[in-house]
PDB file of all heavy atoms in Angstrom:
ATOM      1  N   ILE A 271      72.196 121.120 113.273  1.00 92.00           N
ATOM      2  CA  ILE A 271      72.988 121.661 114.312  1.00 92.00           C
ATOM      3  C   ILE A 271      73.410 123.240 114.076  1.00 92.00           C
ATOM      4  O   ILE A 271      73.266 124.042 114.838  1.00 92.00           O
ATOM      5  CB  ILE A 271      74.223 120.847 114.668  1.00 92.00           C
ATOM      6  CG1 ILE A 271      73.775 119.481 115.160  1.00 92.00           C
ATOM      7  CG2 ILE A 271      75.186 121.525 115.639  1.00 92.00           C
ATOM      8  CD1 ILE A 271      75.038 118.532 115.426  1.00 92.00           C
ATOM      9  N   ALA A 272      73.800 123.350 112.867  1.00 90.00           N
ATOM     10  CA  ALA A 272      74.299 124.708 112.389  1.00 90.00           C
ATOM     11  C   ALA A 272      73.178 125.744 112.445  1.00 90.00           C
ATOM     12  O   ALA A 272      73.313 126.872 112.895  1.00 90.00           O
ATOM     13  CB  ALA A 272      74.999 124.718 111.104  1.00 90.00           C
ATOM     14  N   ARG A 273      71.902 125.229 112.020  1.00 86.00           N
ATOM     15  CA  ARG A 273      70.707 126.213 111.992  1.00 86.00           C
ATOM     16  C   ARG A 273      70.376 126.525 113.448  1.00 86.00           C
ATOM     17  O   ARG A 273      70.114 127.732 113.657  1.00 86.00           O
ATOM     18  CB  ARG A 273      69.594 125.509 111.341  1.00 86.00           C
ATOM     19  CG  ARG A 273      68.435 126.357 111.202  1.00 86.00           C
ATOM     20  CD  ARG A 273      67.040 125.571 110.765  1.00 86.00           C
ATOM     21  NE  ARG A 273      66.617 124.725 111.749  1.00 86.00           N
ATOM     22  CZ  ARG A 273      65.303 124.235 111.859  1.00 86.00           C
ATOM     23  NH1 ARG A 273      64.475 124.649 110.851  1.00 86.00           N
ATOM     24  NH2 ARG A 273      65.004 123.475 112.896  1.00 86.00           N
ATOM     25  N   GLU A 274      70.506 125.475 114.407  1.00 89.00           N
ATOM     26  CA  GLU A 274      70.152 125.824 115.759  1.00 89.00           C
ATOM     27  C   GLU A 274      71.168 126.870 116.377  1.00 89.00           C
ATOM     28  O   GLU A 274      70.767 127.713 117.145  1.00 89.00           O
ATOM     29  CB  GLU A 274      70.133 124.599 116.558  1.00 89.00           C
ATOM     30  CG  GLU A 274      69.349 124.686 117.808  1.00 89.00           C
ATOM     31  CD  GLU A 274      67.788 124.996 117.544  1.00 89.00           C
ATOM     32  OE1 GLU A 274      67.233 124.395 116.507  1.00 89.00           O
ATOM     33  OE2 GLU A 274      67.240 125.861 118.381  1.00 89.00           O
ATOM     34  N   ILE A 275      72.452 126.730 116.121  1.00 91.00           N
ATOM     35  CA  ILE A 275      73.373 127.641 116.490  1.00 91.00           C
ATOM     36  C   ILE A 275      73.176 129.070 115.971  1.00 91.00           C
ATOM     37  O   ILE A 275      73.227 129.993 116.827  1.00 91.00           O
ATOM     38  CB  ILE A 275      74.800 127.241 116.226  1.00 91.00           C
ATOM     39  CG1 ILE A 275      75.176 125.821 116.736  1.00 91.00           C
ATOM     40  CG2 ILE A 275      75.841 128.230 116.533  1.00 91.00           C
ATOM     41  CD1 ILE A 275      76.466 125.088 116.246  1.00 91.00           C
ATOM     42  N   ARG A 276      72.795 129.242 114.796  1.00 89.00           N
ATOM     43  CA  ARG A 276      72.541 130.365 114.188  1.00 89.00           C
ATOM     44  C   ARG A 276      71.299 131.051 114.960  1.00 89.00           C
ATOM     45  O   ARG A 276      71.197 132.304 115.114  1.00 89.00           O
ATOM     46  CB  ARG A 276      72.280 130.405 112.727  1.00 89.00           C
ATOM     47  CG  ARG A 276      73.499 130.035 111.887  1.00 89.00           C
ATOM     48  CD  ARG A 276      73.222 130.195 110.474  1.00 89.00           C
ATOM     49  NE  ARG A 276      74.364 129.608 109.619  1.00 89.00           N
ATOM     50  CZ  ARG A 276      74.292 128.429 109.115  1.00 89.00           C
ATOM     51  NH1 ARG A 276      73.200 127.648 109.300  1.00 89.00           N
ATOM     52  NH2 ARG A 276      75.267 128.026 108.497  1.00 89.00           N
ATOM     53  N   THR A 277      70.266 130.170 115.205  1.00 86.00           N
ATOM     54  CA  THR A 277      69.040 130.663 115.894  1.00 86.00           C
ATOM     55  C   THR A 277      69.298 131.164 117.306  1.00 86.00           C
ATOM     56  O   THR A 277      68.847 132.174 117.709  1.00 86.00           O
ATOM     57  CB  THR A 277      67.983 129.521 115.890  1.00 86.00           C
ATOM     58  OG1 THR A 277      67.670 129.158 114.521  1.00 86.00           O
ATOM     59  CG2 THR A 277      66.713 129.909 116.661  1.00 86.00           C
ATOM     60  N   LEU A 278      70.142 130.438 118.032  1.00 88.00           N
ATOM     61  CA  LEU A 278      70.595 130.796 119.362  1.00 88.00           C
ATOM     62  C   LEU A 278      71.309 132.186 119.375  1.00 88.00           C
ATOM     63  O   LEU A 278      70.953 133.077 120.125  1.00 88.00           O
ATOM     64  CB  LEU A 278      71.428 129.763 119.999  1.00 88.00           C
ATOM     65  CG  LEU A 278      70.758 128.507 120.421  1.00 88.00           C
ATOM     66  CD1 LEU A 278      71.795 127.456 120.838  1.00 88.00           C
ATOM     67  CD2 LEU A 278      69.808 128.658 121.523  1.00 88.00           C
TER      68      LEU A 278
END
Side-chain angles (χ1 to χ4, degrees):
I271 293 175
R273 189 190 68 160
E274 201 64 39
I275 295 169
R276 294 188 193 98
T277 298
L278 288 174

